[in-house]
Amino acid sequence: MSNARPISSINLNPSVQKKLREAGYKTVQDLKETTPVLLSKELDISNQEAQMILQQVTESGERVSSVSVSEVAQKQKFMITTFCHGLDMLIGGRGIALGQITEFCGVPGVGKTQLGIQLSVNVQIPRSMSGAEGEAIYIDTEGSFIVQRVVEIANGTIEKLNESSDGKNDLPLDLETVLSRIHYFRAHDYIELLALIKIMDQFLKEHRTVKLIVIDSIAFPFRQNFSDMMLRTRLLNMIAQDLAIIAESFEIAVVLLNQMTTRFGNSGNSDKVTLVPALGDSFNNKCPNQIILYWREDMRFAHLVKSASSQEATVQYQITTSGIRDCPSNWPIRKRYREDD
Amino acid sequence: MTEATSLARIPEEAKILFGEVNVEEYCKKQKISMEAFEKLRRQVIELNKVKPKRGLELLDKLNTRLTNYLSIGCSGINDLLAGGLHLGDITEISGESTTGKTRLCYAATLSTACLNVDNTVLYIDTLNSFSPELMRILFQESDRFVDARDQGMCAENVFRRIRISRNCMDVFAVFSLVEDLRQKLQVKVFATIRNGNTISPTTNLAKFRQSEDSFYSGLKLVVLDSIAPLFLPILGGYADEKANSLMTSLTRMLRDLAREHDIAILVTNSVENSRSTNPMSAFASTTAKPALKTTWTYMPDVTLLLTLGEDIGLKQRVYINQQGSEVSGVPRICEVLRSHTGIIPCGSSVAIRGLQAQFLLIHITGSNGILSNLGIRCDRNGILLLSSSVERKDELINQSFKRNSCDSI
Amino acid sequence: MEKLHSMLFRPKIAEALRCSNFETVADILHHNKNDLAKRLKLSGKEVSELVNTIMQEIKMSRLISYPPKNALMLLKEGTHRMLSTGDNQIDKIIGGGILSRAITEIVGESSVGKTQLCLQLCLTVQLPEELGGLNGGAVYISTEGNFHLKRYYQMVSSFQQKYSSLRDIDLAKNVHCVTVPDLETQRNVLRHQLPVLLSRNNIRLVIIDSVTANFRTFETSEFPNFRQRASEICQLGIQLKEISDRFNAPIVCVNQVSDNFAIEDFEECDDDAHYEYNCYQRQLLIGNGTKIPALGLTWSNIINIRIMLSRPKRILTEEDGSAGDNDPRTIALLMAPHAQRRFGEYYIDRHGIHGLVN
């Protein structure tokens, strides 16, 4: 008989586990045959505690399941467009995918906040126009969310939608509606950010139409001096996992805006300074989609570093008064690798 | 007697077996006679005893093992692994992000599914980054699956035989899934279960008769992509022992499943920083090793390490693949970091187990855009391989560029 | 850090907390829900309740708005205010004025007019809101310790001539000067004295001139410890942002420039990431093209708005700008969340700093 799942692999208090072991329970299989009453008698615990233990086993079994890929492929996926066709193609077709974490890293001034605001507005595009038709949550840790700018971008989006709609429909969105669907949180330090993420699932249960969470930026609260760097890594891992669970269970796109930091000394040459995304490798490995925004002369580029569904590529974009847009095709295209220059 | 056996719960076997129970008291409590107790005790011993294996059996097993493998999707890496993914073994692929681990998993999944119309694959995705579109593109455009396509396998058919997990984001969820898998696979051998076992027959039979049974009877490959996010949040700090024990339990469950039902297990892992202490490694400048610390190093049977070619000075170049078209990209390097199974690569002298690392270049194609400029249609989204098996880095690079031939998926 | 025993919980939860060794809010938040359920022997629902109660309690002491406001509410409340610089043209270039609830950096070489602009802001902040001010006073934190009193009074008289309503007010009274000669003093002032000053008096503007000086010690010491410097800078940033948000006041930091070392081997580097860094540095350059803002990427990641002042290369130098330059200087808005990059020209005379209309 192959090894069944051991009791130690259930998320229980060590003392409870000890009691189970002493009573002779070794595997989850054994637990399945008993009832709360019997269990509570045997372990000398309350009926409620016994119920909780058994609940743990059945609940987690019900939550996970597997589906065939054909089912997954058939489900229609809504994406959040950035209004820059190049960027949309870069990320994987029609924009940011729901249910996944996407990370945008960039130096200050390159337009991360602008992108965050653009997505918060674009997530509200109605389904009839291939949008996600949802609300947005904007968690601001830096104080760069300026409402006047949101108004400009919202007006830009409304105008663009009006152009493409037939004109016979009612106006799909108006300014006040758009603004009212962006929920704004301000977190001043990492404690507030942690608290927010922990109550997030409750907030989402009350606001089922939310389809986007933007955190601007995830790096700022963690740049402070943590006396224990392992704590910082553990907290970041915890946040990444919580966000991943939220993204999948509520089918929400989670967009993290990250800063860049300098790393001194590569192998060999210690004078060399390189730009890397902040918060370290362990955090960056958790995000399945990562895009770096950077400057080249006076132009802005986006480079896809990794993605769940696309290849490495680079694209140019611009920021106008109305928001993020494509670059006109007559602008010169620059490549990232210098050999091609 | 049967009453007594059904009452005597299996958890108490240990006590009965090892005499921790006061026999008289026990008999009085359960209201059975001393003889009945003895009989019960013998039955319990019978159930739990471990049968020795004969040497011939082991040799048979070894022989089947040597020929019993699945393609990982790339012939050069198959060579590294002395055939491919061996059934009953856990193969680990570690590497930094963007080195191609997930891509390799997709390739292995598709290879297995396309090999035989009965084969099925379970893909456990802990990062929620599974992309059906990418798999579809790989299947439809890569030349490796031309035969399968010719034989009439369409994407739909293939996809129906690949299952992807849902909600498996933390270690307890994965445990539940693997336990569920174990139970479903157990039903396959239901007929040989002896009396006295406590698996309740009715519910499992019913499940067995559902349409899922064909999936579990044809299961050949389980992919876990990736295992790092399951344990990284709990490793480190106060909870290390717990994480290690969970890791060991999970691996044991997977390996038992694999051995018993002839399944190959493929696991991806990320890396952490390190300085190489192996003086014979041609990559003495390796700065990364598989994550999850020391306990994990004992878990898989084979560990492959993927690194970006950029680290050792390789740049984006244009290569010609076996089909004759030009492709461009940055090469990746695959190295057998550890092997508990004494992999002997084909066509070379005997390798000392675990010490000699074989190097091959894996090459991931760049974007179509560059090549369409050259007017050449290439194999998109594939993994190319420059094949060679040499021991030293420079020889390797020179050889590969001279030969300029490569494999593609 | 808030302590748990001072918060109100349901008896069962309170008991569980007492039996555990969790003391502060941070202890609870550092663990995920499964862990908490296990250690406190509570159900999942009870753990959620615990976290919710914590959230309710801490939002009083901190400025958390939960349930959150939406953008429409923010617009109607007018969360962000603009402080005029006193000159319409310059206001236009920098996006309407100096934004409150944000850190604005004014960076440039020496004697280019940074202090001048700050003095001008000390005056404009005292104007009523209809005229572009914030109807309050200012705190001037300087590292060198010499508030340019003479120049200030010179500008006061021109100012009072321009705005008749201010003629009778003592415009020097509402400007509080603090000197921070070293990092230790700076830390203490920001942590203790500044919040007190802001809450007791009607202060609407904080100026730090300059933020670079106290960090120079890290560079000139024998072993430049950049990591320590980076963490000090981050700490400063978090403190400033919190103060700015709490009191709805703009914070203006004066920064100096340093040399761009990377520019020398620009053409020879073949490492892509290094090339990236160089390109990033280059886009920070205007005017002469060899100087970049000091304190590096760490500080750049903290500020919200960057205004750069620069002079064209001259052969002769003049002592102070009051004599009037022949060559106009350049003012550039390099980075702002609410406005595009803009360039303009300005000059300084005895009345203050003025933008040129082109």
Side-chain angles (χ1 to χ4, degrees):
Chain A
M1 187 167 77
S2 50
N3 253 327
R5 180 179 172 186
I7 296 280
S8 56
S9 73
I10 310 176
N11 194 17
L12 293 172
N13 203 303
S15 63
V16 171
Q17 288 209 355
K18 187 158 172 248
K19 284 193 188 151
L20 281 169
R21 251 201 324 266
E22 286 169 357
Y25 288 96
K26 283 190 290 191
T27 68
V28 166
Q29 203 54 37
D30 300 335
L31 266 184
K32 289 215 173 127
E33 299 141 21
T34 183
T35 66
V37 179
L38 280 176
L39 192 61
S40 67
K41 238 187 276 177
E42 244 182 307
L43 299 184
D44 192 25
I45 53 176
S46 72
N47 208 347
Q48 199 193 21
E49 273 187 79
Q51 258 180 2
M52 267 183 5
I53 296 175
L54 291 175
Q55 234 178 22
Q56 277 265 359
V57 178
T58 43
E59 240 178 38
S60 51
E62 281 159 18
R63 219 175 12 116
V64 297
S65 60
S66 61
V67 288
S68 70
V69 175
S70 41
E71 270 181 60
V72 174
Q74 274 165 15
K75 230 168 47 152
Q76 190 184 16
K77 282 227 176 109
F78 291 105
M79 314 272 211
I80 309 176
T81 171
T82 57
F83 274 167
C84 170
H85 184 68
L87 262 181
D88 284 348
M89 292 291 302
L90 190 75
I91 302 170
R94 289 174 288 122
I96 315 267
L98 301 181
Q100 290 184 0
I101 302 182
T102 308
E103 182 187 344
F104 288 94
C105 322
V107 293
V110 77
K112 307 186 291 291
T113 305
Q114 309 296 312
L115 189 56
I117 298 177
Q118 183 75 66
L119 291 170
S120 305
V121 170
N122 286 3
V123 68
Q124 308 181 32
I125 297 179
R127 289 250 171 92
S128 53
M129 308 182 98
S130 318
E133 203 171 305
E135 301 185 353
I137 292 178
Y138 199 98
I139 302 180
D140 184 7
T141 61
E142 296 195 340
S144 347
F145 188 84
I146 315 284
V147 191
Q148 287 87 336
R149 182 72 182 130
V150 182
V151 166
E152 282 177 7
I153 293 183
N155 280 330
T157 299
I158 294 173
E159 223 179 271
K160 204 162 150 102
L161 290 180
N162 286 344
E163 279 167 29
S164 35
S165 83
D166 308 80
K168 44 185 181 186
N169 305 345
D170 291 329
L171 296 173
L173 292 170
D174 66 293
L175 181 63
E176 292 212 349
T177 319
V178 171
L179 290 182
S180 68
R181 291 192 186 147
I182 304 178
H183 304 276
Y184 176 75
F185 290 86
R186 175 87 163 93
H188 299 94
D189 60 17
Y190 83 97
I191 291 285
E192 294 176 27
L193 182 61
L194 277 181
L196 269 176
I197 293 180
K198 289 204 190 302
I199 54 165
M200 189 57 70
D201 62 333
Q202 188 176 345
F203 183 82
L204 290 172
K205 282 184 191 144
E206 294 163 13
H207 296 82
R208 287 266 173 196
T209 44
V210 170
K211 291 264 168 279
L212 170 70
I213 298 178
V214 179
I215 302 188
D216 176 16
S217 65
I218 184 82
F220 186 69
F222 286 98
R223 300 300 298 283
Q224 73 174 70
N225 200 19
F226 271 81
S227 49
D228 177 9
M229 281 308 270
M230 280 189 55
L231 173 66
R232 191 185 94 150
T233 315
R234 198 163 60 75
L235 291 179
L236 283 171
N237 279 330
M238 190 173 73
I239 288 183
Q241 196 178 51
D242 285 347
L243 288 175
I245 295 177
I246 287 176
E248 207 206 331
S249 33
F250 292 95
E251 262 198 70
I252 289 180
V254 174
V255 172
L256 303 179
L257 303 179
N258 196 4
Q259 295 171 348
M260 300 291 268
T261 180
T262 47
R263 187 188 286 172
F264 287 95
N266 240 335
S267 49
N269 194 340
S270 58
D271 291 331
K272 283 221 176 127
V273 175
T274 52
L275 274 184
V276 293
L279 300 182
D281 289 327
S282 65
F283 179 77
N284 285 307
N285 284 339
K286 292 275 165 27
C287 306
N289 306 299
Q290 195 180 43
I291 297 156
I292 296 189
L293 307 174
Y294 62 100
W295 290 99
R296 187 66 91 241
E297 312 297 317
D298 280 328
M299 299 182 283
R300 293 177 159 97
F301 286 86
H303 176 73
L304 181 72
V305 173
K306 62 171 163 162
S307 154
S309 54
S310 306
Q311 283 286 36
E312 221 177 280
T314 309
V315 88
Q316 194 180 359
Y317 68 98
Q318 63 164 337
I319 304 183
T320 66
T321 4
S322 326
I324 308 256
R325 297 287 186 271
D326 277 299
C327 287
S329 48
N330 54 1
W331 284 27
I333 308 213
R334 298 296 187 97
K335 294 218 167 48
R336 175 183 163 96
Y337 288 106
R338 293 182 65 216
E339 294 113 62
D340 299 328
D341 277 346
Chain B
M1 191 58 206
T2 37
E3 267 174 32
T5 41
S6 59
L7 278 178
R9 189 154 1 86
I10 297 235
E12 300 195 348
E13 281 173 1
K15 289 190 182 160
I16 298 175
L17 275 181
F18 298 112
E20 284 174 19
V21 165
N22 185 324
V23 182
E24 282 175 15
E25 270 183 33
Y26 187 79
C27 289
K28 263 189 224 150
K29 207 165 81 166
Q30 303 285 3
K31 299 194 185 75
I32 53 178
S33 63
M34 287 288 279
E35 298 92 45
F37 178 74
E38 269 309 303
K39 214 171 161 196
L40 179 64
R41 187 155 169 271
R42 258 180 273 128
Q43 271 200 348
V44 167
I45 293 175
E46 189 67 29
L47 270 178
N48 280 319
K49 74 179 179 188
V50 179
K51 289 224 185 88
K53 293 206 173 79
R54 306 172 68 200
L56 272 178
E57 284 175 28
L58 289 176
L59 187 61
D60 276 338
K61 258 201 158 172
L62 181 64
N63 282 333
T64 35
R65 235 197 108 258
L66 283 179
T67 51
N68 214 2
Y69 47 76
L70 294 171
S71 164
I72 200 175
C74 186
S75 66
I77 305 185
N78 282 338
D79 289 341
L80 266 188
L81 295 170
L85 298 170
H86 289 261
L87 303 183
D89 276 357
I90 300 182
T91 309
E92 173 196 355
I93 305 176
S94 57
E96 282 181 7
S97 51
T98 75
T99 42
K101 309 187 291 287
T102 306
R103 186 62 59 77
L104 204 48
C105 290
Y106 285 12
T109 309
L110 282 175
S111 298
T112 308
C114 291
L115 187 67
N116 186 319
V117 77
D118 291 324
N119 285 351
T120 61
V121 180
L122 175 65
Y123 197 104
I124 307 178
D125 175 21
T126 60
L127 295 168
N128 197 28
S129 60
F130 184 79
S131 163
E133 298 86 41
L134 190 54
M135 205 168 249
R136 183 189 300 274
I137 291 174
L138 256 179
F139 175 71
Q140 281 169 344
E141 297 201 18
S142 169
D143 40 5
R144 185 144 295 225
F145 305 115
V146 164
D147 297 334
R149 290 201 296 270
D150 287 342
Q151 281 169 24
M153 276 196 222
C154 62
E156 192 47 50
N157 177 298
V158 171
F159 283 1
R160 234 179 297 130
R161 292 181 282 117
I162 304 172
R163 290 185 80 94
I164 170 126
S165 71
R166 284 223 150 295
N167 283 323
C168 267
M169 316 287 277
D170 64 82
V171 63
F172 302 110
V174 174
F175 262 113
S176 297
L177 189 70
V178 175
E179 171 69 11
D180 183 64
L181 180 66
R182 187 195 71 86
Q183 286 184 355
K184 301 247 170 73
L185 286 172
Q186 192 82 28
V187 173
K188 266 190 348 183
V189 295
F190 172 59
T192 61
I193 290 178
R194 286 178 281 176
N195 276 338
N197 207 319
T198 50
I199 292 182
S200 140
T202 43
T203 45
N204 277 346
L205 253 184
K207 279 187 191 166
F208 181 72
R209 284 180 187 137
Q210 280 171 23
S211 56
E212 291 182 337
D213 60 354
S214 55
F215 176 77
Y216 293 102
S217 56
L219 188 63
K220 284 267 162 284
L221 173 67
V222 174
V223 180
L224 177 53
D225 177 22
S226 91
I227 197 171
L230 299 180
F231 294 107
L232 281 178
I234 50 182
L235 263 180
Y238 62 96
D240 245 359
E241 327 79 49
K242 174 83 179 203
N244 288 334
S245 83
L246 286 175
M247 211 187 287
T248 319
S249 303
L250 183 63
T251 317
R252 194 181 300 151
M253 279 180 80
L254 285 172
R255 180 172 288 113
D256 285 342
L257 277 179
R259 295 263 159 90
E260 184 159 336
H261 303 278
D262 278 340
I263 301 174
I265 314 256
L266 183 59
V267 174
T268 56
N269 190 11
S270 49
V271 290
E272 55 191 28
N273 290 327
S274 93
R275 287 254 146 233
S276 171
T277 51
N278 181 1
M280 287 185 62
S281 166
F283 291 150
S285 57
T286 305
T287 50
K289 67 177 181 195
L292 298 182
K293 302 212 182 143
T294 349
T295 309
W296 173 252
T297 62
Y298 296 101
M299 301 291 128
D301 295 294
V302 185
T303 302
L304 296 171
L305 179 68
L306 302 183
T307 40
L308 284 174
E310 279 176 353
D311 291 349
I312 58 166
L314 294 175
K315 294 242 161 221
Q316 192 177 32
R317 289 178 198 276
V318 178
Y319 302 97
I320 303 183
N321 73 356
Q322 272 178 358
Q323 280 67 40
S325 43
E326 283 189 14
V327 289
S328 150
V330 177
R332 269 79 165 162
I333 305 202
C334 177
E335 159 183 7
V336 173
L337 202 61
R338 264 176 234 124
S339 157
H340 295 276
T341 53
I343 285 183
I344 300 170
C346 344
S348 89
S349 51
V350 174
I352 306 167
R353 218 177 99 167
L355 283 184
Q356 182 176 48
Q358 294 274 319
F359 309 124
L360 291 167
L361 280 176
I362 312 177
H363 190 163
I364 298 193
T365 56
S367 68
N368 236 351
I370 299 175
L371 299 173
S372 54
N373 284 341
L374 300 172
I376 296 172
R377 174 114 180 87
C378 80
D379 176 15
R380 264 181 76 173
N381 301 319
I383 298 183
L384 306 181
L385 187 66
L386 298 170
S387 75
S388 151
S389 53
V390 295
E391 295 165 43
R392 287 181 53 238
K393 184 170 79 178
D394 350 342
E395 263 184 63
L396 163 72
I397 295 173
N398 290 334
Q399 241 204 31
S400 57
F401 293 152
K402 265 189 228 145
R403 263 163 115 203
N404 241 351
S405 71
C406 40
D407 251 333
S408 72
I409 295 186
Chain C
M1 183 50 59
E2 295 85 347
K3 298 256 186 251
L4 292 169
H5 60 71
S6 60
M7 300 186 184
L8 275 164
F9 297 108
R10 224 173 7 113
K12 182 173 181 209
I13 298 178
E15 182 61 35
L17 284 174
R18 252 196 301 271
C19 299
S20 70
N21 54 356
F22 291 128
E23 278 180 6
T24 65
V25 163
D27 291 335
I28 296 280
L29 291 177
H30 284 179
H31 298 102
N32 67 16
K33 285 205 168 137
N34 282 333
D35 262 346
L36 288 174
K38 211 169 50 170
R39 286 173 143 201
L40 295 172
K41 299 186 191 164
L42 296 171
S43 73
K45 282 210 186 86
E46 285 161 348
V47 170
S48 298
E49 200 190 307
L50 168 63
V51 176
N52 262 325
T53 317
I54 288 180
M55 189 63 171
Q56 299 295 332
E57 296 273 351
I58 65 176
K59 79 173 191 177
M60 299 300 175
S61 53
R62 298 157 179 266
L63 292 167
I64 309 179
S65 64
Y66 183 75
K69 302 193 176 150
N70 61 38
L72 189 60
M73 290 183 217
L74 292 177
L75 182 65
K76 294 203 170 133
E77 285 172 10
T79 15
H80 286 102
R81 302 188 288 195
M82 293 280 206
L83 170 61
S84 161
T85 54
D87 180 276
N88 283 335
Q89 200 53 33
I90 294 193
D91 280 350
K92 246 188 249 172
I93 293 172
I94 64 174
I98 303 282
L99 204 56
S100 72
R101 290 188 203 275
I103 301 181
T104 304
E105 178 199 66
I106 302 180
V107 62
E109 294 167 296
S110 54
S111 315
V112 75
K114 310 188 290 293
T115 308
Q116 180 65 61
L117 186 53
C118 293
L119 292 179
Q120 197 152 322
L121 290 172
C122 288
L123 287 171
T124 56
V125 71
Q126 305 185 50
L127 286 170
E129 283 189 32
E130 313 86 69
L131 293 173
L134 296 178
N135 218 350
V139 174
Y140 198 101
I141 302 175
S142 79
T143 45
E144 268 80 57
N146 42 352
F147 184 78
H148 304 253
L149 219 47
K150 200 176 84 173
R151 179 75 181 123
Y152 186 65
Y153 275 117
Q154 198 181 37
M155 289 171 63
V156 163
S157 50
S158 314
F159 210 66
Q160 281 176 329
Q161 276 178 358
K162 190 173 166 192
Y163 297 100
S164 51
S165 54
L166 295 180
R167 223 162 269 177
D168 303 319
I169 303 176
D170 176 3
L171 289 173
K173 189 177 69 163
N174 287 329
V175 179
H176 305 252
C177 296
V178 184
T179 311
V180 287
D182 56 65
L183 199 56
E184 185 66 36
T185 324
Q186 183 176 299
R187 258 186 251 140
N188 284 330
V189 164
L190 288 172
R191 191 173 304 153
H192 305 296
Q193 275 124 307
L194 189 60
V196 169
L197 258 178
L198 285 166
S199 51
R200 289 213 190 127
N201 312 339
N202 188 17
I203 307 274
R204 293 270 185 259
L205 170 68
V206 177
I207 297 182
I208 302 183
D209 180 6
S210 65
V211 77
T212 334
N214 285 328
F215 290 108
R216 286 265 190 238
T217 49
F218 286 101
E219 285 165 37
T220 53
S221 72
E222 203 181 325
F223 301 105
N225 187 347
F226 287 114
R227 195 170 290 173
Q228 173 104 12
R229 189 183 83 161
S231 98
E232 291 277 350
I233 292 176
C234 285
Q235 202 63 35
L236 174 67
I238 294 184
Q239 271 177 322
L240 289 176
K241 286 214 169 150
E242 207 263 331
I243 291 175
S244 174
D245 203 35
R246 195 176 347 153
F247 297 101
N248 196 1
I251 300 200
V252 175
C253 295
V254 172
N255 194 10
Q256 292 155 11
V257 292
S258 59
D259 289 305
N260 183 11
F261 295 108
I263 200 77
E264 286 117 47
D265 52 21
F266 184 63
E267 293 308 317
E268 281 120 50
C269 74
D270 51 357
D271 181 347
D272 281 318
H274 192 46
Y275 180 67
E276 272 330 315
Y277 185 67
N278 281 332
C279 285
Y280 161 67
Q281 301 275 62
R282 268 176 57 170
Q283 60 96 22
L284 292 173
L285 310 172
I286 55 158
N288 290 352
T290 55
K291 304 274 190 202
I292 55 167
L295 299 182
L297 192 53
T298 319
W299 176 248
S300 303
N301 273 327
I302 291 173
I303 56 176
N304 298 99
I305 300 159
R306 169 170 274 152
I307 299 172
M308 195 174 218
L309 305 178
S310 67
R311 271 197 303 242
K313 256 201 163 89
R314 302 182 300 164
I315 305 166
L316 295 170
T317 56
E318 303 193 40
E319 273 312 305
D320 64 23
S322 57
D325 295 347
N326 291 326
D327 306 331
R329 307 179 184 188
T330 319
I331 177 169
L333 179 69
L334 283 184
M335 183 166 101
H338 63 298
Q340 273 182 339
R341 280 188 153 194
R342 275 196 204 96
F343 300 84
E345 290 174 327
Y346 70 97
Y347 64 96
I348 306 178
D349 63 15
R350 63 187 167 87
H351 300 293
I353 193 168
H354 309 277
L356 275 177
V357 183
N358 47 350

